[in-house]
Structure formats: structure tokens, C-alpha cells
Amino acid sequence: MTDKTRRFPLSLSSVVEKPGAAARRPGEATSGQTAARNAAAHGLRDALAAAAPRNAAKPASPQGAAQRPAGSAHPAAMAGAGNPAAAVPAGARAAPLVSEAVRKAMVERVAKQGVRDPKVLAAMLEVQRHLFMEPALASQAYIDASLPIGYHQTISQPYIVARMIEVMRGNRNGGVLNRVLEIGTGCGYQAAVLSLVAKEVISIERIKPLHELAKSNLRPMRIANIRLHYGDGMLGLPQAAPFDGIILAAAGLEVPQALLEQLAIGGRLVAPVGARHQVLQLIERTGQSEWSSATLEACHFVPLRPGTV
Ligand code: SAH
């Protein structure tokens, strides 16, 4: 399998780099922040109101969620962390402060719902969810709900994104994840969160326009460790296997065998399973031909479908 990296489908960085364009340095503003500008123009005040905690109980303050992980001026977060460069319009300059506050409220809610892993909470705080939404929905980006992204698909609810990643990190390797696979890129949000907890993220989407949407959402963020692949995720990506973790963002009636076989020994797969009534399932590969499985909680995802469109 020495040629697997060469044959690997789509390196995001190779797609997004324009000839002569220097990679953005941490804190450097970009001129491509149309989503941020749009979000600023489309009522981040509403977002702040919408994301305010719904009850007065003081949320648990997740250790580590309030601070950046060491050395992380991560690109997914950079769009809002830029210095106040003169090139950035006033509206966009104001937006990062607001979105940081609403993200913090979102993370506090996720922690209250039971997600404890500080690394996951920190990642959720970093990634600017509103940049993955169309402008009309940006003001709702931080509410605890799944929201439409077109083609009858949704961006997953913040809690479930965090929960699945937390479960995947609960491996016997102390949470170390080298290569992870996501099935169902959608708008690219979960891939961006995953990029902060894994060395390399590979994400597959079967709907071409959504694959393209994720590319354009992620492009300005210049995240070097995400690779997007257009294809049927039910087949996995054997040329890139094994994976230390696999997350399915769509529910099948069962977990495809191909994915179980592409899991590294000791690796964890987290998937919604079922039709109308779905449960989150954790499958751990315990040996060459041994897997263990546990049912975690009820959930609701869009269906996993075969083939590409
Ligand atoms: N991860 C996304 C969630 C996207 S919704 C987020 O961050 O919010 C689930 C996605 O799974 C949809 O875009 C759907 O098209 C995709 N999907 C469903 N079946 C698939 C398959 N077999 N292969 C790849 N993607 C699939």
C-alpha cells in the first residue's frame, strides 16, 4: 500500500491553493470571508439572542473549552481570530467577538448535555459554525438543532457532533487519532471539528453539489489535514484504510461491512443505525476478525444511501 497516498483522491490543499497565493498565517485576515461578512450583515445580534442560554442555571464551565488548545491558531478558527486588518469591513471586524460569545454559549450547552472531553469542547469552540451555513441561516448557526444545507440534507446538531467525536476519542489509545474517516461531509462542519482532534481527516460525500459546497466552505479556512472525496461512503475508502476512527453522519439499517473492515484494530466506529427509530452505535475493532458493539442513545439522522448523485 505504498502508493495509497499518491492515489488518494482529493487533497483539499492541492485544490484550494491558488498559484502564488501564500498560505495564510495564524491571525492573518483573509479577503475571502464572504460568509463572515454575510453573517455580520444578517443579524449576528439575532444569533446572540438565539444562543443565549435558555435557563438561568450556571452551566458547567468545561475545563479547556474556554481556552485554545496549545499552539492552535487553527485555520477553521482563524477566520474570526484575525487581527483587525484594514481590509476587513467594519461589520466583519465586529462579528468575531459576537460569534465567539455565541459559540461559547453553544459549547456550554453541549457540556451541560453531557459531553466532557475538553479537547472536543475546545474544538467546538474553535470552529465557526456560521461559516458553514447559507447567510439566511447564519443567525441560527449556534442553536442546538440540525439545520438544512440543501438537497434534503442537514448540518448535524452541535451536541451530536461533539458526542460522536467524544465517543470515538474514548479509544484505548488515549484518544490519539491519526487517520479518521467521516461518511457524509455535508457542508464540511464536522470535518472541520474533526481536523482539530485527528492528524488527518478524510470525508466522503455522495451528493456532488454538497461535496462542492464543503470544498468552498473549507477553502478559505486552509485546513491542511482534511481530504474530501466524492463517492459512496458505504464502500469506505480502502486505499486509505485502516482508520483509527470512523464516523457516519447518516443512518443505515446496519453498518456497512466494508467500513468495519477498514477500521484499525483498536479503532472505534460511531454510527447512527435504524430507520424511524435510530440509535447511536459504537463498534470497536478488538481483533483481526473481532468487533464489539454497544448501543449508546437515541438519535436522528438523515438516511445513509448507496451510490452517488
Ligand atoms: N457531517 C455533516 C452532516 C451532513 S448530513 C455536518 O457536518 O453537519 C449527512 C450527509 O451524509 C449528507 O450530506 C448525505 O448526502 C451524506 N450521505 C448519505 N449517504 C452517504 C453515502 N453513502 N456516502 C457518503 N455520504 C452520504
Side-chain angles (χ1 to χ4, degrees), residues 23-309:
R24 199 149 41 97
R25 286 190 302 274
E28 206 175 326
T30 172
S31 59
Q33 292 307 312
T34 48
R37 263 186 242 130
N38 287 338
H42 284 78
L44 275 164
R45 253 176 308 164
D46 298 350
L48 186 58
R54 266 170 248 157
N55 60 42
K58 192 172 187 310
S61 170
Q63 197 55 26
Q67 65 205 45
R68 292 238 164 91
S72 83
H74 191 277
M78 260 194 262
N83 59 31
V88 182
R93 273 208 302 276
L97 291 173
V98 179
S99 64
E100 172 93 22
V102 293
R103 249 189 331 282
K104 195 153 178 264
M106 176 191 83
V107 170
E108 283 169 353
R109 276 199 314 274
V110 166
K112 262 207 295 199
Q113 287 168 284
V115 175
R116 291 279 169 263
D117 186 335
K119 190 153 178 166
V120 174
L121 294 171
M124 297 291 287
L125 188 61
E126 291 268 319
V127 178
Q128 301 199 77
R129 189 170 157 90
H130 66 277
L131 299 182
F132 293 85
M133 312 257 174
E134 61 175 279
L137 283 175
S139 68
Q140 295 175 58
Y142 297 99
I143 65 174
D144 193 32
S146 57
L147 292 165
I149 54 173
Y151 306 90
H152 306 291
Q153 307 303 320
T154 54
I155 179 172
S156 304
Q157 170 201 14
Y159 162 74
I160 203 74
V161 169
R163 175 78 176 125
M164 287 200 286
I165 300 175
E166 176 179 65
V167 170
M168 183 176 66
R169 266 176 48 79
N171 60 18
R172 303 180 217 163
N173 210 5
V176 173
L177 296 165
N178 287 314
R179 185 173 279 187
V180 301
L181 178 67
E182 178 193 31
I183 310 302
T185 316
C187 61
Y189 171 71
Q190 184 159 27
V193 179
L194 283 168
S195 77
L196 290 163
V197 306
K199 276 216 183 84
E200 188 183 3
V201 179
I202 291 151
S203 184
I204 309 179
E205 174 56 56
R206 68 182 286 274
I207 300 179
K208 186 76 180 226
L210 286 178
H211 167 73
E212 298 296 336
L213 173 72
K215 265 203 285 183
S216 61
N217 284 342
L218 290 165
R219 186 178 290 122
M221 299 175 189
R222 304 276 177 99
I223 306 175
N225 63 335
I226 300 180
R227 290 163 191 249
L228 300 182
H229 179 72
Y230 168 60
D232 179 0
M234 291 175 79
L235 308 174
L237 208 56
Q239 65 267 39
F243 300 101
D244 300 313
I246 301 180
I247 283 184
L248 281 82
L253 296 180
E254 56 185 18
V255 174
Q257 184 67 25
L259 298 181
L260 298 179
E261 274 156 19
Q262 290 172 34
L263 199 56
I265 293 173
R268 289 183 152 208
L269 177 149
V270 187
V273 176
R276 261 177 71 83
H277 299 286
Q278 301 171 7
V279 289
L280 204 58
Q281 203 170 4
L282 161 65
I283 297 177
E284 191 164 14
R285 187 166 194 178
T286 51
Q288 189 53 43
S289 39
E290 282 167 38
W291 290 262
S292 70
S293 135
T295 295
L296 304 178
E297 62 198 66
C299 58
H300 189 69
F301 281 81
V302 295
L304 185 69
R305 295 196 193 283
T308 54
V309 287

